[in-house]
């Protein structure tokens, strides 16, 4: 009975009931005011036409996203246009600048930050061009003097994270899409509580939508009582709105400004295979030590200050004396970057496209979802047709059946062009990595789907000639060895009914 009551009064159930009541109220209004319905319908139709014209002429919106909106708007003009207007996220110019946090000239925050880019320009102008774009649109310059450790599994990240957290002396910043009470989070929380007692400043951010089923309501209050400062991104309110499409999907751990971790791994038990949610969970992270961690620190602080409505001096968190020996051998270049859905710049997608278009020998990609734009399809197919060895690993076991169905809908066009696709047969692969020509790499939180590329707040690290790229490539090949290749014959043997379902889902993929 206790479990039943907990289920009934869970905030998800309450929220769903309240939103259904809102829908019922709209229907009731239409019934009560049906004599005015002709006028109401006419006004809504005009609004829908204007919204459609706006979408067609908006050069900052992906064409697939436009189509996905225009179809329901034109089919149901009564609510389509109004729903787009009401639900479309709005933000002031000042808020946009605060959210990006690092837009504009950062010479006062990063003195000497232009030196690595100047050196990269001399070494490889093409790589410098990619880095320059990231600095301008991803709000972070490239850094040297940074070691990068590749963490090939959630279990490895978990152990390394515990070790680094225990060594914290000044501050700990954690920003995660999902936090779940259990075997992974509980030991971390114990360390955070101990560090608070030692005088270490601890801050935690989590996405409320991402944690809706994994944390109790008002969990931030529980953390605050323990002395842990906490912010919640986009708190869930049971109102019909598309604002919840914008989520904080980033995974950032910063310790004392010298140690940083990012990648696809959230703080929940399935990520360390504590239980088989979708078979074996394959995910990766990277651990940074050195100058590049300052980029992750600024990302965290920009989001924190926005949510708290404060403006801190970032230099207060600049690390002091290096607590360990910097690499004596060249460590390559590391450039953390952020991607916001509010600046009309698809940084994540553009970085991926740059890597594909500049590849000469190979492109190895891991992604849990393959729901891509026409530009991405063209880039992948053109690279493969040009003789570049393009390989993509996706999951064999789905976490969401409809998303997996759309992923498989893209297989045939890619395979026909020569792209090699593999499904990770042991279970679900959640890694988001690119390795290119042994010299470029990206690891972070950015999936190859519309939601991640256009709607979420994301982060990643671009790498050039870092030693860890060899580890990333080796791990990709090991993962491929236990994966099943998708052949053209297999794509062509899909039943007509399945093809039809995938085709319909594909049309609305940008809204999923």
């Amino acid at each position: 009975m206790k479990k039943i009551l907990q289920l009934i009064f869970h905030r998800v159930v309450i929220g769903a009931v309240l939103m259904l009541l809102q829908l019922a109220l709209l229907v009731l209004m239409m019934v009560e005011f049906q004599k005015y319905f002709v006028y109401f319908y006419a006004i809504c139709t005009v609004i829908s036409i204007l919204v459609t014209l706006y979408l067609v002429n908006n050069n900052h919106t992906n064409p697939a996203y436009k189509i996905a909106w225009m179809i329901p708007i034109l089919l149901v003009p009564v609510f389509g246009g109004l729903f787009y207007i009401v639900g479309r996220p709005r933000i002031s110019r000042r808020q946009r600048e605060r959210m990006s946090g690092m837009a504009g000239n950062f010479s006062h925050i990063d003195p000497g930050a232009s030196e690595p880019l100047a050196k990269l320009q001399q070494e490889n102008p093409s790589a410098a061009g990619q880095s320059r774009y990231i600095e301008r649109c991803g709000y972070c310059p490239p850094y040297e003097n940074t070691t990068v450790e590749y963490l090939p599994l959630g279990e490895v990240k978990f152990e390394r994270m515990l070790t680094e957290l225990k060594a914290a002396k000044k501050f700990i910043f954690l920003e995660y899409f999902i936090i779940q009470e259990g075997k992974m989070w509980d030991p971390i929380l114990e360390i955070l509580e101990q560090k608070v007692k030692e005088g270490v400043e601890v801050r935690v951010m989590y996405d409320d939508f991402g944690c809706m089923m994994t944390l109790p309501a008002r969990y931030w209050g529980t953390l605050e009582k323990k002395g842990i400062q906490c912010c919640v991104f986009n708190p869930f309110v049971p109102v019909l709105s598309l604002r919840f499409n914008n989520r904080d999907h980033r995974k950032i751990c910063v310790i004392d400004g010298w140690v940083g971790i990012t990648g696809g791994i959230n703080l929940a038990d399935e990520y360390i295979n504590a239980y088989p949610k979708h078979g074996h969970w394959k995910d990766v992270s990277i651990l940074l030590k050195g100058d590049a961690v300052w980029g992750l620190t600024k990302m965290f602080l920009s989001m924190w200050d926005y949510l708290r409505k404060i403006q801190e001096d970032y230099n207060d968190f600049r690390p002091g004396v290096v607590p360990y020996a910097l690499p004596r051998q060249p460590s390559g270049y590391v450039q953390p970057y952020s991607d916001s859905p509010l600046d009309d710049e698809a940084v994540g997608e553009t970085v991926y496209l740059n890597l594909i278009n500049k590849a000469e020998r190979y492109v190895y990609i891991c992604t849990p979802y393959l729901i891509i734009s026409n530009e991405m399809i063209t880039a992948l197919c053109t690279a493969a047709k040009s003789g570049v060895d393009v390989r993509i690993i996706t999951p064999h076991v789905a976490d969401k059946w409809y998303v997996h169905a759309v992923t498989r809908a893209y297989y045939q066009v890619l395979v026909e062009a020569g792209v090699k696709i593999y499904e990770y047969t042991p279970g679900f692969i959640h890694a988001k990595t690119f390795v290119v020509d042994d010299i470029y790499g990206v690891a972070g939180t950015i999936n190859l789907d519309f939601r991640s590329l256009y709607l979420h707040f994301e982060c990643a690290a671009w790498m050039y000639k870092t030693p860890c790229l060899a580890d990333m490539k080796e791990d990709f090949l090991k993962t491929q060895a236990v994966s099943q290749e998708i052949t053209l014959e297999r794509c062509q043997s899909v039943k007509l009914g399945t093809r039809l379902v995938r085709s319909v889902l594909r049309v609305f993929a940008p809204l999923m």
Side-chain angles (χ1 to χ4, degrees):
M1 179 60 69
K2 184 178 179 180
K3 291 183 178 180
I4 294 175
L5 290 175
Q6 287 177 341
L7 178 62
I8 293 174
F9 291 103
H10 195 281
R11 60 175 177 156
V12 175
V13 176
I14 295 174
V17 170
L18 290 175
M19 285 190 282
L20 286 174
L21 288 174
Q22 292 172 60
L23 284 173
L25 181 61
L26 288 174
V27 174
L28 180 62
M29 289 174 62
M30 291 180 62
V31 172
E32 290 295 323
F33 296 98
Q34 57 182 332
K35 62 181 178 179
Y36 303 109
F37 181 72
V38 174
Y39 306 104
F40 176 72
Y41 187 88
I43 293 172
C44 288
T45 300
V46 171
I47 291 174
S48 293
I49 292 172
L50 293 175
V51 169
T52 301
L53 291 173
Y54 167 78
L55 287 170
V56 170
N57 290 280
N58 185 355
N59 295 325
H60 298 293
T61 303
N62 184 276
Y65 188 72
K66 295 179 183 180
I67 294 172
W69 262 113
M70 288 164 59
I71 290 175
I73 287 174
L74 295 176
L75 286 178
V76 191
V78 180
F79 290 115
L82 288 175
F83 194 45
Y84 179 85
I85 292 173
V86 173
R88 182 169 175 262
R90 300 179 204 60
I91 191 166
S92 69
R93 181 178 178 181
R94 181 169 177 269
Q95 286 175 315
R96 285 175 183 263
E97 292 175 352
R98 287 181 57 197
M99 180 63 77
S100 67
M102 288 161 276
N105 184 359
F106 278 91
S107 58
H108 65 290
I109 294 178
D110 281 326
S114 61
E115 294 178 11
L117 184 55
K119 291 176 63 177
L120 184 57
Q121 175 66 35
Q122 292 182 343
E123 182 177 344
N124 186 330
S126 178
Q130 296 185 51
S131 178
R132 193 175 293 109
Y133 168 80
I134 295 172
E135 180 178 26
R136 180 177 179 180
C137 300
Y139 312 122
C140 189
Y143 297 92
E144 295 180 286
N145 302 318
T146 304
T147 61
V148 186
E149 181 181 351
Y150 179 67
L151 310 176
L153 285 172
E155 297 91 314
V156 178
K157 182 247 178 112
F158 181 40
E159 293 301 322
R160 294 291 285 114
M161 186 174 177
L162 291 178
T163 300
E164 298 298 339
L165 287 173
K166 290 175 182 176
K169 301 296 182 184
K170 296 181 180 179
F171 64 84
I172 296 172
F173 294 161
L174 300 179
E175 178 181 352
Y176 281 87
F177 179 59
I178 297 175
I179 296 176
Q180 179 187 41
E181 294 177 307
K183 294 181 180 179
M184 188 176 189
W185 173 244
D186 292 351
I188 292 174
L189 181 58
E190 289 181 11
I191 295 174
L192 299 183
E193 292 182 67
Q194 179 59 37
K195 287 299 171 180
V196 168
K197 295 176 182 177
E198 295 174 7
V200 175
E201 181 175 359
V202 179
R203 299 184 183 184
V204 174
M205 272 191 291
Y206 63 86
D207 184 274
D208 200 37
F209 196 93
C211 296
M212 192 176 299
M213 301 299 295
T214 60
L215 289 179
R218 300 178 63 83
Y219 187 72
W220 58 268
T222 301
L223 296 182
E224 292 277 357
K225 289 179 181 178
K226 298 177 183 292
I228 299 170
Q229 300 178 60
C230 186
C231 280
V232 181
F233 181 85
N234 211 357
F236 176 72
V237 179
V239 175
L240 291 173
S241 172
L242 296 182
R243 290 180 176 84
F244 295 109
N245 269 330
N246 299 133
R247 303 168 192 168
D248 183 4
H249 193 244
R250 307 193 305 192
K251 292 93 177 171
I252 296 174
C253 171
V254 175
I255 301 165
D256 294 342
W258 281 119
V259 177
I261 304 174
T262 190
I265 302 170
N266 282 297
L267 306 183
D269 287 354
E270 65 264 29
Y271 292 85
I272 58 173
N273 289 292
Y275 73 99
K277 186 175 183 179
H278 303 293
H280 183 267
W281 192 287
K282 167 66 176 175
D283 211 336
V284 307
S285 285
I286 53 173
L287 188 150
L288 311 179
K289 286 190 176 183
D291 293 354
V293 179
W294 179 235
L296 294 177
T297 305
K298 291 188 295 182
M299 283 184 212
F300 179 94
L301 289 171
S302 67
M303 183 69 79
W304 181 272
D305 287 3
Y306 176 79
L307 295 179
R308 285 285 176 111
K309 295 181 172 60
I310 60 175
Q311 185 61 58
E312 299 176 283
D313 185 350
Y314 291 5
N315 288 307
D316 291 343
F317 299 92
R318 186 183 290 279
V321 179
V322 182
Y324 48 82
L326 288 172
R328 295 183 179 179
Q329 300 297 323
S331 59
Y333 299 84
V334 182
Q335 190 167 11
Y337 61 94
S338 60
D339 191 4
S340 165
L342 305 176
D343 58 5
D344 297 324
E345 184 70 36
V347 177
E349 183 179 42
T350 303
V351 171
Y352 286 161
L353 287 172
N354 278 338
L355 290 171
I356 296 168
N357 292 331
K358 294 181 183 300
E360 296 179 357
R361 295 189 293 115
Y362 75 84
V363 179
Y364 294 165
I365 302 170
C366 289
T367 179
Y369 314 116
L370 189 63
I371 305 174
I372 48 181
S373 65
N374 185 67
E375 294 86 349
M376 187 65 68
I377 293 173
T378 301
L380 291 167
C381 292
T382 301
K385 291 175 182 178
S386 301
V388 177
D389 181 10
V390 182
R391 306 183 192 182
I392 305 173
I393 301 179
T394 64
H396 182 70
V397 179
D399 66 335
K400 306 176 186 69
W401 72 267
Y402 51 91
V403 177
H404 196 52
V406 179
T407 290
R408 287 176 164 175
Y410 287 88
Y411 285 175
Q412 184 165 336
V413 65
L414 296 173
V415 173
E416 286 176 340
V419 177
K420 298 176 182 177
I421 298 178
Y422 303 83
E423 287 190 348
Y424 181 65
T425 50
F428 185 73
I429 186 166
H430 192 252
K432 311 97 168 41
T433 59
F434 271 60
V435 187
V436 180
D437 293 347
D438 294 339
I439 57 175
Y440 296 109
V442 167
T445 68
I446 308 173
N447 299 317
L448 278 175
D449 69 352
F450 288 91
R451 179 167 294 282
S452 197
L453 294 173
Y454 301 114
L455 298 177
H456 288 173
F457 292 90
E458 303 280 4
C459 68
W462 177 86
M463 294 166 279
Y464 175 76
K465 286 190 175 181
T466 56
C468 85
L469 294 177
D471 298 326
M472 292 176 65
K473 179 181 179 181
E474 180 183 4
D475 186 53
F476 180 94
L477 295 174
K478 287 181 178 178
T479 305
Q480 178 190 312
V482 294
S483 301
Q484 179 182 18
E485 184 172 2
I486 304 299
T487 63
L488 182 58
E489 291 74 19
R490 181 176 176 182
C491 294
Q492 294 173 338
S493 66
V494 175
K495 295 179 180 179
L496 180 61
T498 302
R499 286 176 179 268
L500 180 61
V501 171
R502 290 178 181 177
S503 297
V504 173
L505 291 173
R506 182 171 168 174
V507 171
F508 297 101
L511 304 181
M512 290 184 180

